[in-house]
Amino acid sequence: MSRKNPNHIKNGSVAADVVIYAILLLLALICVYPMWYVIIMSISEPIHAQTLDVYLLPKGLYWGSYKDTLSDAKVWTAYYNTIIYAGVCCIGMLITCAMAAYPLTSPMLVGKKFWVIFILIPMYFGGGLIPTYIIMSKLGMYNSRWAIIFPGIVSMWYIILVRTYFATIPEDLRESARIDGANNFQILWNVYVPTSKPIFAVIAIYTIVAQWNSWFAASIYLTDEKLQPLQLYLRRLLILQQNLANQTQNGAGGTSDSEELAQKMILSADQLKYTMIVVATLPVMVVYPFLQKYFVKGVMVGSLKG
């Protein structure tokens, strides 16, 4: 009789695989459905969007909200501003993180402990809104793009994250490059940057998403509509639409035509919310899959090596 090998790996049961896949499919549907719900609500007839009786498929097809939103030239100006802020801040963040984290991993840095503590303090304590506003005004950055770009290219947390990742790179690589005659900038660019793509991808996508969704700082520092980002413009457009609908409803005066116009504006304002969500999040959803593999790897490495 043949004896069973105790080290033999047993195959899982089909029933267990079915249960596991079913649970994973359910979790995937739970994650995907909210966005799908927003999409079908944005293209359904306004009356169905207001009564919230759309669940799986759109009821009717209505593209009026998209037409009104995308035909507005100011929307594309706001899109352009958001792309500028997100792109410049992303590049600036990567540069500042790399250049600040690299010397913190050097054994020759004098006072390394002091500099690490110096960087850690702003992670927990900040000056607040009023001092920041005063600084922006005194430096002449109020109502200019620099009011959004300069604060968005430095993050103490990201510097510490990159420094932790750099610390996992063998010091022998730095010494070998130095023996070959490379200076610090060459070592950083040719040795550390190519081996740190995962962590840079994490920082890039975090920065892009943060800038893409940001509107509060712009509402404080940017009064010129030509400089305001997409989120702030959509917020103002939505508030204007709702106020206009309320004014029309209050001033209807009982006439059937006025009441009908007020009802249409209210329906349009309700559906405009879903349309704006799609318009604002679609570019990020398109870009994210290309960075996902680096994003997952960088998060895992940062959590294990930190």
Side-chain angles (χ1 to χ4, degrees):
M1 296 179 60
S2 61
R3 303 177 65 180
K4 294 183 178 181
N5 184 1
N7 296 325
H8 177 70
I9 298 177
K10 298 180 179 179
N11 295 325
S13 64
V14 177
D17 291 340
V18 171
V19 173
I20 292 174
Y21 282 114
I23 294 175
L24 293 177
L25 180 61
L26 179 61
L27 293 175
L29 291 175
I30 292 175
C31 295
V32 173
Y33 180 74
M35 192 61 200
W36 172 249
Y37 178 78
V38 171
I39 293 174
I40 61 177
M41 288 287 282
S42 66
I43 61 177
S44 298
E45 290 291 342
I47 185 62
H48 298 295
Q50 187 189 42
T51 55
L52 304 178
D53 60 347
V54 180
Y55 301 101
L56 296 178
L57 296 175
K59 292 187 176 181
L61 286 177
Y62 178 76
W63 303 97
S65 297
Y66 285 97
K67 183 179 178 181
D68 294 339
T69 302
L70 299 179
S71 61
D72 188 355
K74 294 182 179 180
V75 171
W76 297 107
T77 301
Y79 249 121
Y80 171 77
N81 293 332
T82 301
I83 293 173
I84 292 295
Y85 297 141
V88 175
C89 288
C90 176
I91 296 173
M93 184 70 74
L94 295 178
I95 294 174
T96 57
C97 287
M99 296 190 67
Y102 174 76
L104 294 176
T105 60
S106 175
M108 297 184 294
L109 179 64
V110 178
K112 181 188 295 186
K113 186 176 181 180
F114 167 79
W115 292 114
V116 172
I117 296 176
F118 181 80
I119 291 176
L120 287 175
I121 291 176
M123 290 177 56
Y124 302 99
F125 303 98
L129 179 59
I130 296 178
T132 305
Y133 181 87
I134 294 175
I135 290 175
M136 290 294 177
S137 301
K138 294 296 183 180
L139 294 178
M141 292 189 292
Y142 181 77
N143 200 26
S144 70
R145 297 189 189 277
W146 300 114
I148 305 299
I149 293 175
F150 268 137
I153 62 175
V154 178
S155 172
M156 300 305 173
W157 164 243
Y158 291 162
I159 292 174
I160 295 299
L161 196 62
V162 175
R163 178 245 182 190
T164 303
Y165 193 96
F166 280 0
T168 65
I169 300 175
E171 183 64 23
D172 296 340
L173 294 178
R174 192 203 305 254
E175 295 301 328
S176 299
R178 197 180 302 277
I179 292 173
D180 291 336
N183 56 36
N184 286 321
F185 288 101
Q186 292 172 332
I187 295 173
L188 173 61
W189 180 254
N190 297 320
V191 177
Y192 279 75
V193 172
T195 57
S196 305
K197 290 181 181 179
I199 197 65
F200 285 136
V202 173
I203 294 174
I205 195 170
Y206 276 172
T207 305
I208 291 173
V209 172
Q211 290 297 326
W212 195 272
N213 294 329
S214 177
W215 63 270
F216 182 71
S219 66
I220 297 174
Y221 302 124
L222 300 180
T223 57
D224 188 355
E225 293 185 3
K226 296 181 180 179
L227 301 177
Q228 293 176 352
L230 178 65
Q231 299 291 347
L232 180 59
Y233 178 73
L234 293 181
R235 176 180 178 271
R236 187 174 68 251
L237 183 63
L238 179 61
I239 294 175
L240 180 63
Q241 183 80 2
Q242 290 178 333
N243 292 338
L244 187 61
N246 293 334
Q247 292 176 3
T248 304
Q249 185 181 26
N250 295 333
T255 63
S256 58
D257 294 339
S258 299
E259 291 179 356
E260 183 179 356
L261 177 60
Q263 185 64 25
K264 287 182 178 180
M265 296 190 67
I266 294 173
L267 294 176
S268 178
D270 289 337
Q271 193 176 40
L272 191 62
K273 301 175 184 178
Y274 302 102
T275 304
M276 288 181 176
I277 294 175
V278 176
V279 170
T281 59
L282 187 60
V284 177
M285 294 175 62
V286 172
V287 173
Y288 178 78
F290 296 99
L291 298 176
Q292 184 180 13
K293 61 178 181 179
Y294 296 111
F295 176 76
V296 175
K297 184 177 180 181
V299 170
M300 293 301 296
V301 171
S303 62
L304 293 176
K305 299 293 185 179

